[in-house]
Amino acid sequence: MSSQAVTTVALLADPDAPTEIAHRVARKLPERLSERAGDGREFDVHVVSEPFTAGAEDPATLRRRILERGREEDWDVVVALTDLPLHAHGRKLAVDLDHEHGMAVLSLPSLGGLGFQRRARRAVEDAVLNLTHAQVAGAGGTPRREPLLTFVGRLAPIRRSRADDDEAVDLRYVVTGPRGYLRLLLGMVRANRPWRLVPGLSKALATALATGAIATVNATVWSLAGTLSTPRLVIATVGSIALMVGWLIVDAGLWHRTADASPEARQRDALYNASTVVTLGLGVLVCYAGLVVVNLLWALFILNDRVYTSVTRTPLDGGQYWTLSWFVASVATVGGALGSSLESDEAIRAAAYSKREQERLRMVRDEREDHER
């Protein structure tokens, strides 16, 4: 330990979202750790942002890097945060603890999407205190391996698991069951931050807005919108969003497909592909909602009641404005899908994925090209 009553804690975080989370957690972490630890112990917390997962997803490799980094700085406890889902021997990892070296690796997607900040704070606190208590106990006897309170509980889809004998891990938690899979998927989607898709696809949005503006004043569109029932409008919405998502995936090469044919690799690819579809789906849905609002405002400004009624034989009331704006949003989304072809592949990946996920995609792409050669 660095001092008898002071523990030096490092939050080693991947760049981008994990670093932001580490900074938010670190604001009140020393006070909360001191309160929970008792015995007058103080904590000195540092946030270190560096890509410790660059070029590797193997937990053993990551632990070795973290251990070497900790020895360089002489930290007492290191908690590493990454927004990548980690796997080991077919199991989806939530957290690994190595009490001997005072080290923990936390996969943030395992915390899910809802209540994420609270779970991240508790997970870091529990990991630090667990490692600290083990070090204190180890100074005078056999260290205890206490469970992490954040991950125990009947309803939590995370369970304690045994690590293999050749791994330097003495406390491990893994994601289990369908609920655990869903929680991990939501965590991956949150890490991708789908709301960034809106400003990230500027050319596609410009094309969609232009398409919507023209369609709103088109007499044929008026007649079509007036004949559509709500179920058909819903089908048009789902179809246009699916078309946009599919186009983005195909055009930018976002579908994961590795050369490894093992069951574990296939499961991992399925998880990544599911997160891609959900991320893009949510992002396009936000764009769609924005198009409905913009089209409605444009229709309220530009349409003339007498002209509309002479064409459709239907008075232009609130229901007609809403139906027309809804249908035009679907037409505009299809136009936006075509406009997305003007975006570079890198721009689409930057809008759809976190920085670390973009790096992982480049690695997969390079491996595929090497294999094809």
Side-chain angles (χ1 to χ4, degrees), residues 80-86 93-95 105-111 184:
L81 309 177
T82 179
D83 55 1
L84 282 181
L86 300 179
L93 301 186
V95 62
V105 183
L106 176 62
S107 177
L108 294 173
S110 67
L111 301 178
L184 182 61

Side-chain angles (χ1 to χ4, degrees), residues 277-309:
V277 171
V278 176
T279 297
L280 293 177
L282 290 176
V284 174
L285 182 61
V286 172
C287 294
Y288 188 96
L291 287 172
V292 172
V293 174
V294 172
N295 292 332
L296 179 59
L297 294 176
W298 174 240
L300 289 170
F301 172 76
I302 200 69
L303 293 186
N304 180 277
D305 181 48
R306 285 187 299 176
V307 174
Y308 184 91
T309 303

Side-chain angles (χ1 to χ4, degrees), residues 14-21 49 83 193 196 354-356:
D14 267 334
D16 203 23
T19 297
E20 296 174 10
I21 294 164
S49 177
D83 55 1
R193 295 187 282 190
R196 298 191 307 181
S354 65
K355 289 182 179 179
R356 183 61 190 89

